[in-house]
Structure formats: C-alpha cells, structure tokens
Amino acid sequence: MNIHEYQAKELLRHYGVPVPDGFVAWTPDEATAAAAKLPGPIYVVKAQIHAGGRGAGRFADDPDGKGGVRVTRSVEEVRAAAEAMLSHTLVTKQTGPTGRTVHRVYVEAGSDIAREIYLSLLVDRVSGRVTVVASTEGGMEIEEVAAKQPEKIMRAAVDPAAGMSGYLPRRLAYGLGLTGSQIAAFGRFLPALYRAFTELDCSVVEVNPLVVTGSGDVVALDAKISFDDNALFRHPDLEKLHDESEEDPKELEAKKYNLNYVALDGNIGCLVNGAGLAMATMDIIKLYGAAPANFLDVGGGATKERVTAAFKIILSDPNVEGILVNIFGGIMRCDVIAEGVIAAAREVSLSVPLVVRLEGTNVELGNQILAQSNLPIIAADDLADAAEKIVRAVREAA
C-alpha cells in the first residue's frame, strides 16, 4: 500500500525524523491559509499523487508548462499554484500518458538547501535483510544513477540482531562526504528512519532528496513510503491512509474477490492460475507479437463466482481486444474454470475473441463444457498454440 508524501512525512515526524513544516490543502483557499501558517517568504506547493517525477511532470492544460512541484515567493503565488494543480491532470514518467488527477496539494516551508542526497531503506530479498541504499546524487532517479554512475551508489545491509548500530550511519556519512556536525545529524536521522521502517512494517522508505541545510541539519525534503500489505492487519490506523482514488478501479474491484490483478497497457486480457504461469503467459504473448493487458492470477482455489468476476474485470478494460485463459488444474479444477468463463461470457455478451487452454484436473470435463456452450470459444492444446491463436484472432478481427 502506498501513501501520499504529506502522510509519509507526518509518520516520519512521529519517529523523530526531521521534515519541513507543511500543511495539506484540498482547495486554493486552504492552500492560502496553509501558507499563512508558515514563516515564508519561500513556500513550496507540491501535487499529491501516488507517482514519482512530479517536479519534472507537466499539466497538459497549463500554458506555462510548469510541473507538480513549484517554488513560490508569496501567499498569492501559493494560491495561483494550487489553482493550477487542483482538479487538473498531472502526467509524469510513472503515471503514463493518462496521468493522475490532483485532488490535494501540500504547502511546505522552503528549505535552505546546501546539498541533496539520495537515501532509501528496502528489503533485500537476496540477503533477507533491511538494506540502506544511499548516493551523493540526490534529486535524481536512482535507476538513472545506477545506469550511468553505479559507483556512486552505496549499499549496507542491517544486521537484524544488532539493529542500526552506530558504525553503519557513520560509515555511510563518510561515504556521502558529510563532515562535522552533519555526521552527527545523519547519525540521528538514519536510526530514526530505520525505526519507522521496522515498526510500521514498510517495504520501501525513500527520501529523495535528503537535504543538508546551510546550518548543517539533515532534513527529509521528500518522502515516499510503501507498506507490506501482508502486515496491514497489525496497523488498522495505517489502512485509514489508503487513498482509493489513486488506484485503478479494476484493481480495486479485483481486491474484493481476492484476485491478484495488475492493469497493463496491452490488448490481450489474461486469466491464469498461478503467478509463475501468469508471467510465462504474458511473456509468450509478447513473443507472438502482441502485449498483455493485465496480470491476473485467480489463485489455486478459485470458485465459479471469482472466475466470473475476473472475466468481467478483464472485459471492463476498453483496450482489451482478445482474452487468453490459461489454466493448469492442480488444486484448481478445469470444469470450474469452464463454468466461470461461460457464465461471464454470457453475462457480458462477449464481443472479443476468446482462446482457452485447459490442462490438469478434470480437463476432459472442462473441455466438454466449453464445447457444449455454443459460444465462439477457440480451444488450444498448449501455451504456444494458445498464444498464437489469440494473437491471430485479434489481428483478423481488427
């Protein structure tokens, strides 16, 4: 689960992580009132969406071409920036061309920035430990740094028994070129960030940039937090921070049925059981010249109702031009899948090509049910055959 920057900073402030003062606003009037509470004369107005690259993003209907992070020098400029952002669509590298509508902005006090640093905490799946990633190249996307200047990225795994021992922040501080009081400030900052990470069951905490001020303080100028969904039952207070308006409606609907669904940009809808098989199905669709419209794993014990719901969610995507159902029946029975596919196809009046490949438990019964449905379902013998048939059927229907 992701949250907004202002929510992340409020959580980090609770753990003693230094962050600039700021207030969230849903209207230009609230933004003006927020600025009046801050010392000024510099204010920063930030669009609040679940996507990075806001500063480099653009509002299509904004004639001045400014992005979603704007430095202002008066309360009047704060209002103008809020008016230009609220209810408008911000397009960044991470949103895709459709962008995200801005429903709230964060008005923050300006900072005296001497240096910008990159810092994040994440779970390294190889070592099984929380790992600190740091770089002197703050403000840049870490992927870009890794590609162009990999030598400028430092990594340090935290021993879960020892925790954030004092030597680790000091070693990273020296590597980042911090000096004097900056080292002590970083030595307080990093343990506080680690405590927030562990106690809140985070999967990622990213501070980019972490700034060193002119007075030598270390402050989180930005903050991005993602939580481990599997641990949210321990944090009912965090679940309240969930902003459903930032999620794809199809993904929200899928969660109601415990379906693992991720919307993509392709034209072939996929309904598969098992994450590995779903990934293989997506790959082979690409191999045969098309692109998957989604990742969808119905799980090993899906019911007819869940399969029907999954089918309807796929068809709710206007980009879907064909559907590939790929089932290997172990725990999942092929006849259950067949019944769900037929029920959904009849309910939504199927109008795109449908290829179904079944294998495993009750496969003969499943194929029989499909054959007797009187629906234009194309049967496939194996995965390659299924991919070839759905791509060809979509092209012929175009």
Side-chain angles (χ1 to χ4, degrees):
M1 185 185 85
N2 298 320
I3 58 175
H4 290 291
E5 174 194 357
Y6 75 94
Q7 296 168 321
K9 286 182 173 176
E10 189 59 36
L11 290 173
L12 294 182
R13 183 183 285 112
H14 174 75
Y15 283 89
V17 177
V19 298
D21 292 331
F23 303 93
V24 66
W26 279 263
T27 67
D29 287 342
E30 290 183 4
T32 302
K37 299 176 186 177
L38 298 171
I42 305 298
Y43 314 91
V44 184
V45 183
K46 300 182 177 183
Q48 297 298 286
I49 60 172
H50 288 178
R54 292 169 297 165
R58 290 292 179 267
F59 292 90
D61 57 352
D62 188 351
D64 60 14
K66 294 181 179 179
V69 177
R70 305 188 185 187
V71 178
T72 61
R73 291 169 174 78
S74 69
V75 174
E76 291 73 24
E77 288 186 11
V78 169
R79 170 180 281 275
E83 289 176 342
M85 294 182 189
L86 290 167
S87 299
H88 294 266
T89 301
L90 177 61
V91 179
T92 77
K93 289 182 179 179
Q94 294 187 12
T95 65
T98 57
R100 296 272 179 86
T101 301
V102 178
H103 299 290
R104 65 197 89 179
V105 296
Y106 189 49
V107 182
E108 188 173 71
S111 298
D112 177 18
I113 302 174
R115 283 190 61 198
E116 294 187 355
I117 295 169
Y118 176 91
L119 183 69
S120 67
L121 296 176
L122 52 85
V123 178
D124 180 5
R125 302 300 177 185
V126 175
S127 66
R129 295 183 175 186
V130 176
T131 298
V132 183
V133 179
S135 174
T136 56
E137 306 305 298
M140 294 180 61
E141 294 183 8
I142 196 64
E143 296 84 0
E144 184 177 345
V145 179
K148 297 180 179 179
Q149 300 172 300
E151 72 281 358
K152 293 192 174 182
I153 297 179
M154 296 180 291
R155 298 174 179 84
V158 182
D159 187 328
M164 186 63 70
S165 301
Y167 82 92
L168 193 150
R170 286 195 298 273
R171 178 162 68 88
L172 289 171
Y174 291 131
L176 292 168
L178 301 179
T179 59
S181 63
Q182 299 170 2
I183 296 175
F186 188 79
R188 295 187 295 270
F189 184 99
L190 187 54
L193 194 68
Y194 177 75
R195 180 169 165 248
F197 184 96
T198 54
E199 293 189 10
L200 295 174
D201 288 308
C202 299
S203 56
V204 175
V205 173
E206 183 181 61
V207 178
N208 187 26
L210 168 68
V211 299
V212 180
T213 67
S215 60
D217 294 326
V218 177
V219 180
L221 198 64
D222 193 11
K224 181 186 298 182
I225 294 181
S226 295
F227 300 102
D228 183 349
D229 291 350
N230 295 316
L232 285 177
F233 72 94
R234 297 196 293 217
H235 304 281
D237 53 328
L238 296 180
E239 287 193 279
K240 297 177 183 177
L241 303 179
H242 184 211
D243 182 2
E244 291 189 351
S245 69
E246 288 292 317
E247 294 194 33
D248 188 301
K250 298 185 294 298
E251 295 180 8
L252 287 174
E253 183 68 15
K255 287 181 180 179
K256 296 178 183 178
Y257 296 93
N258 294 318
L259 297 169
N260 297 308
Y261 174 93
V262 179
L264 300 173
D265 298 328
N267 62 333
I268 306 296
C270 305
L271 192 157
V272 191
N273 68 318
L277 186 58
M279 296 296 289
T281 302
M282 293 162 61
D283 286 344
I284 202 165
I285 288 173
K286 291 285 288 186
L287 179 65
Y288 278 88
N294 62 272
F295 169 96
L296 198 158
D297 171 16
V298 296
T303 63
K304 174 183 174 181
E305 289 72 26
R306 284 182 65 191
V307 173
T308 303
F311 209 87
K312 292 167 68 175
I313 290 168
I314 291 172
L315 287 172
S316 69
D317 184 347
N319 294 323
V320 170
E321 299 175 354
I323 299 176
L324 172 55
V325 176
N326 184 23
I327 298 298
F328 185 84
I331 300 173
M332 169 63 69
R333 290 164 34 200
C334 293
D335 57 311
V336 172
I337 292 291
E339 291 173 353
V341 167
I342 291 169
R346 286 175 174 162
E347 187 171 340
V348 300
S349 300
L350 183 66
S351 58
V352 298
L354 170 62
V355 172
V356 179
R357 178 253 182 169
L358 301 177
E359 191 59 71
T361 306
N362 287 0
V363 62
E364 295 84 2
L365 179 57
N367 285 328
Q368 181 182 348
I369 292 172
L370 292 175
Q372 295 174 350
S373 67
N374 295 322
L375 292 173
I377 297 174
I378 304 171
D381 297 326
D382 53 41
L383 184 50
D385 183 45
E388 183 180 9
K389 284 180 175 177
I390 189 60
V391 172
R392 184 171 65 246
V394 166
R395 288 174 178 169
E396 290 175 351

